[in-house]
Amino acid sequence: MDLDLPDSPSTPPPDPDRSVAVIGGGAVGSTAARDLARWGADVTLFERDAVGAGATGRAAGIVYDAFAEDLDAVVAARALDRFRELSGTGEFELTDRPYVWFAREGDDRNAEAIREQVPRMRANGREVDILSADELAERWPTLRADDVAVAAVAESAGTTTPATYAAATAELAEADGATIETGTAARIETDPVAVRTGDEGGDTDARQFDAVLVAAGARTPGLLADPGIELACEAYRVQALTVGVGTEDDEQRDRAAALPSFYDATGGYYARPKGDELLAGDGTEPVPADPDDWDAESDAWFREDVLEHLSGRVGGVESTASDAWAGLCTATPDRDPLVGELESGLFVATGFHGHGFMRAPAIGELVARQLCGADGVAPFDPTRFDGREEFEIVEGMALDGD
Ligand SMILES: Cc1cc2nc3c(=O)[nH]c(=O)nc-3n(C[C@H](O)[C@H](O)[C@H](O)COP(=O)(O)OP(=O)(O)OC[C@H]3O[C@@H](n4cnc5c(N)ncnc54)[C@H](O)[C@@H]3O)c2cc1C
């Protein structure tokens, strides 16, 4: 599967000479703004809060290209290339770190899924291998492996602080002439596409653009509802925490810092080193959340669950979290994102099921090229749903479909 993208993201699409509004300064919106600006478009990025303040600023920062579906794999590989190219710009750094996922003894469903996925990932050209419990223990002795039935490792993976990516790309966009309006909530009008800012009912003039991209994360469906567009997309809440390791033991701490990112499919939680600590999460609530009324604090049950899992998996994990928080992700009926044109001049990019950061550099580029006349990616076409579908929210880090 090919994405039909030029080798270099800096190669402009045929017709970049247009005025574009990007609504949302998360990883996706700031990537699109950056690409559009450097191709020569006249770009205004509207961000209601600060760049990176949405899900991007709350994300765990695990990135990898180990997807079994060929389209997902090429998107993630393009994104990883771009992360690597950008690393070292501003505060943004990508640390190479393998990604390991495993099923425990007795969990036949997930063990089977791992065995089935790995050959498909390899067929997609991904550097992924099956590991036995012994091989896992040999490579990372700090990670308990005696109860592992089967593991897999993706070598091409890394960790980063997602907000620094959004900040670095927004700064590059600005350097290429984009206007970044933070603290500015935008509303959309259609026919012709236009943006209004300021309070509801305020009389700011509608500003017309050749194209508007709505990349407003969990608020995207609400924004589009204004001009009467229904989007098959639901927001849901997920949680993460950080916890110290081996506070009294330098060796234990160093070993933990050298761990891969890992996902325990049986326990349903993930973790990765972050400085002297581990950053971990599960805590998905597969029920819709209201972006205007949700709890950004973590729940006690979540902290207890994850800390219990972690203390059984990595030596020296502290008993209390140093920090914990929640954020909103977005889901679609078929778990593929909604990326492309909704109606003339109005574009959308959302619905990433907890894997939006790792794909943002590619998704932002794809939709930016579409804004300049390039073809879209059919499986991501946002008009494939009529917006009134009822569907079950499936958690983000689930194995099935990855
Ligand atoms: C706890 C947690 C852990 C995660 N871990 C990972 C991970 O390890 N790897 C991964 O790939 N993904 C992860 N994700 C998912 C990832 O965070 C998202 O998929 C991704 O950041 C989405 O980026 P975005 O740009 O689409 O949205 P956002 O980052 O939410 O950006 C949307 C922006 O739009 C702005 N906005 C909203 N309404 C308006 C308006 N009216 N006007 C102007 N601006 C507006 C918001 O303020 C926000 O800044 C995680 C998410 C959470 C919550």
Side-chain angles (χ1 to χ4, degrees):
M1 162 114 221
D2 238 338
L3 274 181
D4 200 21
L5 288 173
D7 287 345
S8 168
S10 63
T11 305
D15 186 14
D17 185 16
R18 53 191 63 203
S19 64
V20 180
V22 176
I23 301 181
V28 174
S30 50
T31 303
R34 189 254 167 137
D35 285 344
L36 287 159
R38 77 163 155 188
W39 299 331
D42 177 7
V43 181
T44 308
L45 172 70
F46 297 97
E47 166 52 56
R48 73 195 301 271
D49 192 334
V51 166
T56 298
R58 295 170 173 270
I62 298 171
V63 305
Y64 55 78
D65 65 358
F67 288 88
E69 296 301 329
D70 54 358
L71 174 57
D72 295 334
V74 289
V75 165
R78 175 75 167 201
L80 257 179
D81 286 347
R82 297 199 67 184
F83 280 131
R84 290 199 173 106
E85 199 185 298
L86 195 76
S87 184
T89 306
E91 306 269 297
F92 174 70
E93 293 283 349
L94 181 76
T95 303
D96 283 326
R97 187 184 302 284
Y99 176 72
V100 164
W101 65 112
F102 59 85
R104 297 188 216 156
E105 295 289 356
D107 179 5
D108 295 342
R109 193 181 66 84
N110 277 316
E112 183 55 32
I114 293 173
R115 289 194 186 94
E116 184 270 336
Q117 289 168 338
V118 168
R120 291 170 65 208
M121 291 172 179
R122 291 172 67 92
N124 290 333
R126 303 304 115 213
E127 206 185 335
V128 179
D129 280 303
I130 292 276
L131 294 180
S132 67
D134 288 347
E135 288 166 331
L136 187 61
E138 194 177 330
R139 192 156 166 195
W140 290 287
T142 328
L143 192 66
R144 178 182 171 201
D146 61 342
D147 60 348
V148 167
V150 61
V153 57
E155 304 291 352
S156 187
T159 49
T160 187
T161 304
T164 61
Y165 171 81
T169 44
E171 273 164 30
L172 289 171
E174 205 165 20
D176 277 332
T179 304
I180 314 281
E181 297 194 17
T182 52
T184 308
R187 301 193 306 282
I188 312 156
E189 287 181 5
T190 50
D191 203 20
V193 283
V195 169
R196 278 185 200 267
T197 56
D199 295 336
E200 199 80 35
D203 55 1
T204 57
D205 289 339
R207 290 155 69 176
Q208 281 181 20
F209 294 89
D210 295 326
V212 174
L213 168 63
V214 189
R219 291 183 179 273
T220 303
L223 267 175
L224 289 166
D226 257 2
I229 298 168
E230 291 185 75
L231 204 63
C233 179
E234 293 278 8
Y236 63 98
R237 183 170 166 267
V238 300
Q239 302 178 58
L241 59 75
T242 49
V243 62
V245 185
T247 316
E248 307 291 319
D249 181 339
D250 289 352
E251 250 180 59
Q252 211 166 32
R253 203 166 49 230
D254 291 349
R255 282 200 303 268
L259 280 169
S261 301
F262 65 89
Y263 174 57
D264 175 347
T266 308
Y269 68 96
Y270 65 87
R272 61 103 159 170
K274 184 174 197 273
D276 279 355
E277 300 193 307
L278 290 179
L279 189 165
D282 71 345
T284 296
E285 283 171 38
V287 290
D290 178 355
D292 285 320
D293 182 20
W294 63 287
D295 187 1
E297 305 294 319
S298 68
D299 300 326
W301 65 261
F302 160 73
R303 297 190 299 276
E304 280 160 25
D305 268 17
V306 169
L307 291 175
E308 192 182 326
H309 278 306
L310 274 185
S311 61
R313 191 61 50 193
V314 178
V317 171
E318 299 286 297
S319 55
T320 36
S322 55
D323 194 8
W325 62 93
L328 294 182
C329 289
T330 46
T332 67
D334 61 2
R335 299 187 67 187
D336 270 334
L338 306 169
V339 181
E341 192 167 20
L342 284 164
E343 54 182 64
S344 183
L346 182 61
F347 293 75
V348 70
T350 194
F352 301 115
H353 281 266
H355 292 63
F357 178 68
M358 66 180 78
R359 293 184 284 175
I363 297 280
E365 180 185 352
L366 276 170
V367 75
R369 286 187 185 279
Q370 263 186 278
L371 280 150
C372 300
D375 286 342
V377 176
F380 297 169
D381 182 347
T383 62
R384 68 188 183 277
F385 301 113
D386 72 12
R388 283 179 292 275
E389 291 78 3
E390 295 212 341
F391 64 96
E392 221 175 284
I393 294 171
V394 180
E395 63 182 285
M397 299 295 264
L399 265 179
D400 311 320
D402 275 4

